[in-house]
Amino acid sequence: MDTATRLLRLLSLLHSRPQWDGAELAARLEVTPRTVRRDVTRLRSLGYPIDAEAGIGGGYRLGPGGRLPPLLLEDAEAVAIAVGLRVATTTTVSGVEEAAISALAKLHQVLPVRLREQVAAITAHTTQLPQGELPPVDGDVLVTLAAGCRHVEGIRFRYRSRDGGESERSVEPLQIVHTGRRRYLVARDRDRQAWRTFRVDRIEHPVLTGSRYRFDDPPDPIALVAEGTGVAPWDIVARIRVHAPAATVAKVIPPAQGVVEELDAATCELRIAANELGPLAGQVTRIPWQFEILEPPELRAAVHDLARRLLDS
């Protein structure tokens, strides 16, 4: 590679993950560590803040600020980004719509005609169902939470509960989960010493604390959000043994509708919830496999009654 190509490749590598060992970069670029050091110096002179630490555990990383590294995109990647930006113009994240439109305009200026036609074909024949009125998510809040997850750094914020009460929280963030309608932060609450899910639209003034941490046995974020949104808020929780593999059941019943736990290779337990027996009985009758209602017994009676009425109709 010539120098310019190598510098672009080095920037792309530094952008792809938080830290690189000098020997790794040299191997990827097929140069000596000394050449890597010279290239890092060149990039710094161009305005890219690259931090370096010597010794075990050290290496190179792209620091905050400075210039945005150039992106080298394949054709398929450029089309994917353009389509994603079009979707982002209708997002509930405040401040993102205008930025997405601006970025899309810049991208279209440099897209080859053949790729522009692909993007136009996809968007012209794609329609999004209206989501109803959803509370907006502050874009700055989302960025701060994502930074905490990426850099394994603690966060403090003010949180508004369902009943309107406010509290100060200090958490160790794990991941942001998007259910399709809302975003949730999965984090370990330091004061309560327990895992919690927080609706992102109820989080205010998040601040990175600088404290680092490590998870020894973190939970499945999707399962935790499914438990907190699909089961916990409801009055009646049903436990159902389904005679089908858990992976098969999970493909038909997504986390937003129920929690699936494997019992053995051929059976699993499904938990679904509602505030009344009627809707819950209707959900049970749509299970396409053989099943047994474990609890509550009132649900079993309601399903039997529904079955008799269907047979008599």
Side-chain angles (χ1 to χ4, degrees):
M1 289 183 285
D2 58 40
T3 302
T5 302
R6 192 174 65 248
L7 291 177
L8 288 173
R9 176 62 176 156
L10 176 56
L11 266 178
S12 179
L13 290 172
L14 290 171
H15 191 64
S16 66
R17 76 185 202 199
Q19 186 156 316
W20 283 88
D21 179 79
E24 287 182 287
L25 288 175
R28 288 292 192 97
L29 298 171
E30 299 181 350
V31 295
T32 65
R34 182 179 179 183
T35 300
V36 171
R37 290 193 295 271
R38 286 204 304 264
D39 286 348
V40 166
T41 300
R42 290 189 180 102
L43 290 176
R44 285 171 176 161
S45 68
L46 294 172
Y48 296 103
I50 300 175
D51 300 328
E53 291 183 9
I56 299 175
Y60 296 99
R61 61 176 175 271
L62 198 59
R67 299 181 179 180
L68 184 68
L71 297 176
L72 305 177
L73 300 175
E74 302 292 338
D75 286 357
E77 293 173 333
V79 171
I81 290 175
V83 173
L85 286 172
R86 285 186 177 271
V87 174
T89 59
T90 60
T91 183
T92 58
V93 180
S94 61
V96 169
E97 299 94 333
E98 293 183 5
I101 293 171
S102 175
L104 188 61
K106 292 178 181 179
L107 183 59
H108 267 261
Q109 287 181 348
V110 297
L111 276 180
V113 174
R114 69 181 190 283
L115 299 186
R116 233 178 289 167
E117 291 175 350
Q118 291 182 30
V119 173
I122 293 172
T123 55
H125 299 283
T126 303
T127 303
Q128 186 174 353
L129 283 173
Q131 295 291 317
E133 290 296 326
L134 294 176
V137 173
D138 188 293
D140 291 336
V141 168
L142 196 60
V143 168
T144 302
L145 300 181
C149 295
R150 174 176 172 80
H151 298 296
V152 198
E153 184 174 348
I155 298 178
R156 287 195 309 269
F157 55 79
R158 177 171 289 276
Y159 189 68
R160 187 179 69 259
S161 63
R162 190 190 312 176
D163 59 8
E166 294 189 351
S167 60
E168 295 291 333
R169 300 297 184 99
S170 177
V171 304
E172 297 169 348
L174 175 64
Q175 190 169 332
I176 297 171
V177 177
H178 189 205
T179 66
R181 290 179 59 82
R182 292 188 173 92
R183 291 172 174 83
Y184 293 84
L185 173 68
V186 176
R188 183 174 177 273
D189 192 311
R190 303 186 71 171
D191 296 328
R192 294 160 180 78
Q193 293 294 303
W195 287 95
R196 294 286 190 268
T197 60
F198 302 91
R199 265 179 51 175
V200 173
D201 59 280
R202 293 177 178 168
I203 293 176
E204 297 178 352
H205 311 301
V207 177
L208 295 169
T209 65
S211 62
R212 305 287 179 173
Y213 54 89
R214 185 180 67 180
F215 296 132
D216 294 326
D217 188 22
D220 180 350
I222 294 177
L224 203 62
V225 171
E227 179 76 26
T229 61
V231 175
W234 306 98
D235 295 333
I236 306 172
V237 179
R239 292 177 52 242
I240 302 164
R241 180 184 292 115
V242 181
H243 294 274
T248 302
V249 176
K251 290 179 181 178
V252 177
I253 302 176
Q257 296 180 12
V259 177
V260 180
E261 295 182 2
E262 183 179 31
L263 297 178
D264 55 47
T267 60
C268 63
E269 181 176 304
L270 169 66
R271 283 183 293 136
I272 54 178
N275 285 334
E276 299 178 0
L277 282 174
L280 203 53
Q283 292 183 57
V284 170
T285 60
R286 291 194 291 272
I287 298 175
W289 306 278
Q290 185 180 355
F291 62 85
E292 305 163 38
I293 299 175
L294 303 178
E295 59 180 39
E298 297 84 3
L299 177 61
R300 193 180 304 113
V303 171
H304 288 172
D305 180 63
L306 177 60
R308 282 192 295 269
R309 287 190 283 115
L310 289 173
L311 289 172
D312 293 339
S313 62

